[in-house]
Amino acid sequence: MNPTTPEAVADGEKTTDRTTEEANAGTDRATAENPEQRDRDETGPGADALDQETTDAADETDEADDVSSGRLAAASAAVVSAGLGVVALTGAWSGRVAAERETLIGQIKTSSGGSAAQQINEIYGDAWHATALVNGLFGLLALLVGTYVLVRPAFGAPARQPQAGWVRAVARGGIALGALGVLISVAMYFDLIVALPTTAG
């Protein structure tokens, strides 16, 4: 015979239920005290993988934007270099303003009298030299910008794709025009192309 009485069985069931309730209460208390564990339990391992994929996608997008902006900057700089080279050869309004200013200064200096040679030098020569100086500065800028476009890929992180061919071609054209503009400006400044008029005697 089983010596267990109904009262003993009932007591055992009550003890078991009480123990289970205490264990569940302890687990709930630990979860409440540790919110990180609760969040981890609620989200699960799939959330970490999703966050990682989102971060990787954002990094790839930022990298693509940087590459695109770098290519756009190089192309713009190449076009600017060619434009500066053309200005160095044809002249700019700033050169005319500088020449007119030197002409006015020369007229003021020689208004009270002066030799013919002094008038030629002050009115014509200084204006000629000012124009040459301004054009030479534009040519020098064209040289610097074009050189920067060509040597930029050699520095920094290597690009996935090489620089576009037309960008290099335009940059080389800007360098050539800038160099030619500098040479002509130097020759103009030192009166090697066309000398200043001279007076008899």
Side-chain angles (χ1 to χ4, degrees):
M1 292 182 64
N2 188 359
T4 305
T5 61
E7 290 81 2
V9 173
D11 292 340
E13 291 177 354
K14 291 180 180 179
T15 304
T16 304
D17 294 339
R18 189 179 301 109
T19 304
T20 303
E21 291 176 357
E22 291 176 354
N24 292 335
T27 303
D28 294 340
R29 189 180 304 108
T31 304
E33 293 176 355
N34 190 358
E36 294 181 357
Q37 181 65 30
R38 180 179 57 192
D39 294 340
R40 190 178 299 111
D41 294 339
E42 292 176 354
T43 56
D48 294 337
L50 182 60
D51 293 341
Q52 184 64 31
E53 292 177 359
T54 304
T55 303
D56 294 341
D59 293 340
E60 291 177 359
T61 303
D62 293 340
E63 184 177 356
D65 292 341
D66 293 341
V67 171
S68 178
S69 61
R71 291 178 180 175
L72 182 61
S76 301
V79 174
V80 168
S81 174
L84 290 172
V86 172
V87 172
L89 293 177
T90 60
W93 67 269
S94 55
R96 292 194 300 269
V97 170
E100 292 174 357
R101 180 178 182 277
E102 291 298 330
T103 299
L104 180 60
I105 293 175
Q107 291 175 351
I108 294 174
K109 288 182 179 179
T110 59
S111 61
S112 59
S115 62
Q118 183 181 4
Q119 291 179 358
I120 292 173
N121 185 62
E122 294 290 342
I123 297 175
Y124 177 75
D126 289 348
W128 180 263
H129 295 160
T131 302
L133 181 61
V134 173
N135 292 346
L137 291 177
F138 277 103
L140 183 61
L141 286 176
L143 276 173
L144 294 176
V145 175
T147 304
Y148 169 79
V149 173
L150 292 181
V151 303
R152 177 65 182 85
F155 300 94
R160 295 182 179 178
Q161 295 180 357
Q163 197 175 56
W166 72 268
V167 174
R168 295 194 300 271
V170 174
R172 290 192 183 99
I175 292 174
L177 292 174
L180 186 59
V182 170
L183 290 176
I184 294 176
S185 299
V186 170
M188 287 175 58
Y189 191 84
F190 292 102
D191 302 325
L192 299 178
I193 296 178
V194 179
L196 290 176
T198 57
T199 58

